[in-house]
Amino acid sequence: MGGHQFGSEMLCKKREDYLEWPEYFMAVAFLSAQRSKDPNSQVGACIVNPENKIVGIGYNGMPNGCSDDLLPWTRTAQSKLDTKYPYVCHAELNAIMNKNSADVKGCSMYVALFPCNECAKLIIQAGIKEVIFMSDKYHDSPEMTAARRLFDLAGIIYRKFKPKCNKIIIDFDSINGRPSQKPM
């Protein structure tokens, strides 16, 4: 008997517990953050084009070629030069610099932490149209206030991410026949 069989034994329904795009992109940002060596803040960013393709990923860390063993990671010191702040590249900067497309105009950025004013300037100059963030814990700081002011003036949409699930577990053993991952 030729042709396709559509009997019940051949018909299989798709999974219902797959990750939707927003959760996937924010999870990529959070996974990228795990590369950060910063002992206090691990931040990741994921840039996505309008076709839902990832075009840039970054995390906070020291500049290329600058040993993260020779520069400070502390948040406070007598001199600002003895803190991490003059040296660390933020996740947003690294994601833009690590882009794998000609540009990131019209893209969205998923980021764990609301961008500072310096990153807001980079985001605007890069042509990113939307910022989706998980945490805004420094909302009232001058840097975040300035960032919001810049975004508003430039017409950049920014919104807090509201996950459909609070945890995504990556189980490396699942490929060997264990049950499929279920977001929690």
Side-chain angles (χ1 to χ4, degrees), residues 110-123:
Y110 287 78
V111 65
L113 193 58
F114 188 86
C116 71
N117 61 307
E118 292 299 321
C119 290
K121 291 187 272 186
L122 291 166
I123 288 165

Side-chain angles (χ1 to χ4, degrees), residues 72 74-84 86-87:
T74 187
R75 298 169 81 169
T76 57
Q78 281 193 303
S79 168
K80 187 171 183 174
L81 289 175
D82 293 327
T83 70
K84 66 181 178 176
Y87 310 107

Side-chain angles (χ1 to χ4, degrees), residues 2-182:
H4 295 88
Q5 289 186 344
F6 293 105
S8 61
E9 69 278 357
M10 296 297 286
L11 191 60
C12 183
K13 291 182 76 174
K14 70 179 182 183
R15 280 179 55 217
E16 298 293 333
D17 60 348
Y18 62 90
L19 285 180
E20 294 187 22
W21 287 120
E23 279 74 21
Y24 175 68
F25 298 134
M26 189 60 80
V28 168
F30 269 71
L31 185 61
S32 176
Q34 294 301 305
R35 287 280 309 140
S36 176
K37 296 181 180 98
D38 190 320
N40 297 300
S41 301
Q42 299 83 44
V43 180
C46 178
I47 303 172
V48 181
N49 74 13
E51 290 80 45
N52 284 329
K53 292 187 172 80
I54 295 173
V55 296
I57 297 174
Y59 57 89
N60 58 315
M62 296 301 177
N64 293 337
C66 298
S67 171
D68 39 39
D69 292 323
L70 300 177
L71 291 169
W73 286 105
T74 187
R75 298 169 81 169
T76 57
Q78 281 193 303
S79 168
K80 187 171 183 174
L81 289 175
D82 293 327
T83 70
K84 66 181 178 176
Y85 299 110
Y87 310 107
V88 169
C89 295
H90 287 181
E92 300 92 330
L93 163 71
N94 283 326
I96 292 167
M97 295 305 296
N98 292 339
K99 71 184 185 300
N100 60 14
S101 61
D103 61 50
V104 290
K105 285 183 176 59
C107 290
S108 298
M109 179 181 280
Y110 287 78
V111 65
L113 193 58
F114 188 86
C116 71
N117 61 307
E118 292 299 321
C119 290
K121 291 187 272 186
L122 291 166
I123 288 165
I124 292 165
Q125 293 301 84
I128 290 169
K129 67 172 178 60
E130 179 181 32
V131 174
I132 302 99
F133 61 93
M134 188 73 212
S135 173
D136 192 14
K137 65 181 178 179
Y138 301 116
H139 181 86
D140 294 325
S141 72
E143 294 81 5
M144 306 313 158
T145 302
R148 285 192 305 278
R149 191 176 293 173
L150 289 167
F151 285 155
D152 289 341
L153 288 169
I156 308 297
I157 297 163
Y158 53 95
R159 60 185 169 86
K160 185 164 176 42
F161 182 68
K162 294 179 178 70
K164 291 188 176 179
C165 54
N166 289 330
K167 283 186 182 176
I168 296 169
I169 297 168
I170 298 174
D171 179 359
F172 289 120
D173 288 329
S174 66
I175 198 71
N176 292 321
R178 299 216 342 237
S180 66
Q181 171 184 325
K182 298 211 185 321

